[in-house]
Amino acid sequence: MGWVFSLRSGLSQSLRVSLPEPQGSLAEALLLGIRSHIPDLLLTDFAKTGTRHIIAISGLHISIVAGILLSVGVWLFGRRRSLYLLLPFIAIWVYATLTGMRPSALRAAIMASIFLLAEFSGRQRSTGTALTFAAAVMVGINPQVLWDVSFQLSFLAMMGLIFLAPPFQTWGRRRVGVVVGKGQIASATNVVIDSFAITLGAILATMPIIAYNFHLISLVALPATFFALPALPGAIITTFLAGVIGIFAPPVAWVLGWVAWLFLSYMILVVKGFAALPFASIQISTISATMVWSYYIVLTIGFWLYASRRH
């Protein structure tokens, strides 16, 4: 653990040297989960635009790290032996520890481990099963985590992706097929539809918890996330390279820092632009737990009726 936190400190210092502010503090949040250095005004803009989940270490961050190292493992060991799965397995747990083992990172690490285990054993992968198992493990270790807001948001967002996003994707693709038919235009439009569906599913699943805890509802969360999210993989990869190389060769990290600066600056520009709109968010004085439960009951019944009709 001492080595891990020493590495965390070294990466943090490397990013601060390689990048100006506020891009440097945003890079720390994206890569290491350190949000204490982000300016308060920028954090407020992330909250107003409903994009604060982007700077929380989550499944997307873990999947990027696992995907890169899975490719490296295949290149080094090939697929004949299972050693190519060992490298990403170790890496995701080192990375989760590096980011402070926050609930969202721990949940993502458990789910990624189950997917790697399924690949190793030749079994089918089930996102719902992996999510349920991750929740069981985390609650079994610490039952108080049920009242942790980040735990609630992380699992509800995943449930939105699993259960709510597919119906939106199906409906959107059907409408696109009716309007433009098949072909390259339909394929390109479907990518946009899928992105909106995934974002909308996560927003609908987490909106009451955000309103209950932070007394805020963002009206621009869908377009803001849609435009900011494409820059996230590039930002994570370039900040990771700049942080690691900066420990050994700071001049080389400065060059990579300029590339990372482009992705980070774009994200900040999108967030600030949508936050500046007069209708970006609505402040809520209070919301009762009964209202939150009622929302999820209605949402569950609606999904059940949709699934039953489709079946």
Side-chain angles (χ1 to χ4, degrees):
M1 291 298 293
W3 175 84
V4 169
F5 284 110
S6 176
L7 177 60
R8 176 185 172 94
S9 177
L11 288 171
S12 174
Q13 182 63 28
S14 176
L15 290 174
R16 295 180 119 194
V17 172
S18 304
L19 288 160
E21 289 297 333
Q23 287 81 4
S25 57
L26 180 58
E28 285 185 89
L30 291 176
L31 186 65
L32 303 173
I34 302 174
R35 286 179 279 183
S36 56
H37 300 149
I38 298 180
D40 293 338
L41 185 59
L42 183 57
L43 268 180
T44 302
D45 289 341
F46 272 101
K48 289 174 63 177
T49 56
T51 54
R52 193 161 181 170
H53 60 92
I54 293 178
I55 58 177
I57 303 298
S58 62
L60 184 57
H61 300 70
I62 298 290
S63 63
I64 290 172
V65 173
I68 292 173
L69 293 175
L70 190 61
S71 300
V72 173
V74 171
W75 178 71
L76 288 175
F77 306 111
R79 291 184 178 272
R80 294 183 178 181
R81 294 179 294 175
S82 300
L83 287 175
Y84 76 95
L85 298 172
L86 186 61
L87 183 61
F89 179 81
I90 295 174
I92 58 177
W93 284 103
V94 171
Y95 182 60
T97 307
L98 198 65
T99 58
M101 278 292 186
R102 298 178 182 273
S104 56
L106 181 56
R107 187 268 307 161
I110 294 173
M111 293 183 67
S113 299
I114 293 176
F115 287 158
L116 291 175
L117 182 61
E119 182 74 16
F120 170 76
S121 59
R123 300 291 295 273
Q124 291 182 336
R125 291 175 291 182
S126 170
T127 309
T129 302
L131 180 65
T132 306
F133 181 77
V137 170
M138 294 176 66
V139 175
I141 294 173
N142 177 23
Q144 295 300 319
V145 77
L146 277 171
W147 284 265
D148 188 287
V149 178
S150 60
F151 172 87
Q152 296 171 5
L153 291 175
S154 176
F155 277 89
L156 285 170
M158 277 303 303
M159 290 180 69
L161 299 183
I162 296 171
F163 299 111
L164 300 181
F168 292 131
Q169 286 177 307
T170 303
W171 182 85
R173 283 171 173 259
R174 189 180 298 122
R175 298 283 82 77
V176 169
V178 171
V179 175
V180 300
K182 298 181 179 180
Q184 294 183 349
I185 297 178
S187 299
T189 308
N190 284 336
V191 173
V192 177
I193 292 295
D194 291 349
S195 299
F196 270 109
I198 290 170
T199 305
L200 183 60
I203 290 173
L204 290 177
T206 57
M207 184 173 59
I209 298 297
I210 294 174
Y212 180 81
N213 289 280
F214 305 110
H215 309 290
L216 183 74
I217 293 179
S218 175
L219 301 180
V220 296
L222 184 60
T225 302
F226 175 78
F227 284 104
L229 203 57
L232 184 59
I236 293 175
I237 293 171
T238 52
T239 53
F240 172 77
L241 293 174
V244 172
I245 295 176
I247 297 177
F248 308 101
V252 180
W254 296 339
V255 178
L256 291 170
W258 280 107
V259 181
W261 179 89
L262 294 174
F263 292 105
L264 297 167
S265 297
Y266 168 78
M267 294 178 65
I268 292 173
L269 180 65
V270 170
V271 170
K272 285 185 172 292
F274 279 100
L277 296 175
F279 53 85
S281 61
I282 299 175
Q283 292 287 340
I284 298 177
S285 58
T286 181
I287 180 173
S288 66
T290 303
M291 295 175 65
V292 175
W293 280 109
S294 299
Y295 175 93
Y296 284 116
I297 290 173
V298 171
L299 190 66
T300 303
I301 292 174
F303 173 78
W304 178 77
L305 290 174
Y306 169 82
S308 300
R309 185 175 65 87
R310 186 181 179 188
H311 179 72

